[in-house]
Amino acid sequence: MSRPLPETDPTAADRRSQAHALLVRLSALEEGDPRREELRRRLVELHAPVVRRIARRYSGRGEPEEDLRQVACVGLMQAIRDFDPRRGKEFLSYALPMMTGEVKRHFRDRTWAVRVPRRLKELRSRLIVLEGEFTQRHGRSPTVADVAEELGLGTAEARELVAASAAYSALSLDLPCGAEGEERTLGETLGGSDPALEAAEDRVALAPLLERLSPRDRSIVLQRFAGDRTQAQIAASVGLSQMHVSRLLSTSLTRMRRCAEEG
């Protein structure tokens, strides 16, 4: 349960009194009354210090404090809309869980680097607590098997949770990388030429030439050049002599070369 934030504002008592009076007036107005909007605005302004304190509490987690204020305000507006002063409950004790809950949902749903299932987002908070407590008890990080046992999950689900948790944040490709004074970013270190790419055009060109061979001859050619098998191994697999395999390879390659030249 959320506990009320400490009230250090010298006008806190006045704010509670003003808020109660405004909420009573708001509840007495019919929906659609233009005066309701003004009362809501005054209530939001009245609780601006509380909004700022909540935003500061959750700052430092990668989200701008101003954005967190806006999120907390969403919870405040929802509390103003739903609060019933006739029940005798203090407004701030009603509004605080809604404001902090809205901020927590923001971190759960909006700040992940990639999309992951909601159940894994909700389990991540338990995983973080587990990692801290487990490391303190055992002097090492928990394995997937440890996570599964501690959280009552299957091994596959625990593995998925650990992988998804690592996707919460991502490094920028513009992050400086390399030795001091070396002007290079992380993005410039990723990727490279693919040696297999050079052979892609050859594979495309060879496909129709292989189709012109008989199934046996095609198999021999593929075993020799795609399977990297010796002539002796091929001979044993097709039931021919090694010399016969050598002649068939030579004949097949000559035929393919002639077909390629003829187009």
Side-chain angles (χ1 to χ4, degrees):
M1 180 180 295
S2 301
R3 290 179 297 178
L5 295 170
E7 292 283 351
T8 58
D9 188 337
T11 62
D14 290 341
R15 183 170 61 242
R16 285 195 294 269
S17 176
Q18 291 178 45
H20 181 73
L22 291 171
L23 288 162
V24 169
R25 290 174 57 188
L26 182 64
S27 66
L29 296 176
E30 297 289 337
E31 287 291 339
D33 192 313
R35 290 172 293 177
R36 292 177 65 88
E37 189 61 34
E38 174 61 20
L39 291 174
R40 291 194 190 98
R41 184 189 64 79
R42 290 173 61 183
L43 283 163
V44 170
E45 292 178 351
L46 196 60
H47 292 89
V50 182
V51 169
R52 287 194 293 269
R53 284 202 293 274
I54 291 175
R56 282 197 300 270
R57 175 189 289 180
Y58 289 93
S59 63
R61 303 187 185 186
E63 285 290 281
E65 188 172 322
E66 180 58 35
D67 288 356
L68 296 179
R69 290 182 188 178
Q70 295 297 324
V71 175
C73 270
V74 172
L76 175 60
M77 290 296 295
Q78 183 178 345
I80 293 172
R81 183 193 64 204
D82 298 339
F83 184 73
D84 186 352
R86 293 171 296 183
R87 297 189 177 184
K89 187 174 183 179
E90 184 181 337
F91 174 71
L92 199 55
S93 64
Y94 175 82
L96 274 174
M98 301 183 74
M99 296 163 72
T100 55
E102 198 67 37
V103 173
K104 290 177 180 178
R105 278 190 293 274
H106 173 76
F107 280 103
R108 184 193 69 191
D109 298 336
R110 304 292 183 184
T111 59
W112 288 70
V114 297
R115 293 177 63 88
V116 300
R118 172 168 290 188
R119 61 182 178 82
L120 296 180
K121 292 179 181 179
E122 294 171 346
L123 281 171
R124 180 176 179 269
S125 59
R126 293 175 59 192
L127 175 63
I128 292 173
V129 174
L130 165 64
E131 287 176 337
E133 294 178 348
F134 189 95
T135 302
Q136 194 171 29
R137 290 198 310 267
H138 301 279
R140 64 176 177 83
S141 299
T143 63
V144 170
D146 294 327
V147 171
E149 181 179 356
E150 294 285 338
L151 296 183
L153 306 174
T155 302
E157 188 176 13
R159 186 179 294 110
E160 186 181 16
L161 171 60
V162 172
S165 182
Y168 179 75
S169 60
L171 294 176
S172 170
L173 293 179
D174 295 326
L175 185 72
C177 181
E180 186 175 354
E182 185 179 358
E183 295 184 0
R184 188 171 60 164
T185 65
L186 177 61
E188 293 172 331
T189 68
L190 303 178
S193 59
D194 184 358
L197 189 61
E198 299 177 1
E201 185 175 346
D202 292 339
R203 288 197 298 271
V204 172
L206 285 172
L209 301 179
L210 286 168
E211 290 297 323
R212 298 189 181 189
L213 301 178
S214 67
R216 184 192 63 180
D217 292 348
R218 187 186 314 124
S219 173
I220 291 173
V221 171
L222 289 174
Q223 287 187 65
R224 179 69 185 92
F225 297 102
D228 199 25
R229 305 187 71 186
T230 66
Q231 291 185 12
Q233 290 172 326
I234 297 171
S237 70
V238 297
L240 300 173
S241 67
Q242 183 176 340
M243 185 176 295
H244 194 175
V245 167
S246 178
R247 286 199 299 268
L248 288 173
L249 275 172
S250 178
T251 301
S252 297
L253 294 175
T254 300
R255 181 181 177 186
M256 291 173 66
R257 190 178 299 111
R258 187 182 305 116
C259 290
E261 291 172 352
E262 293 173 354

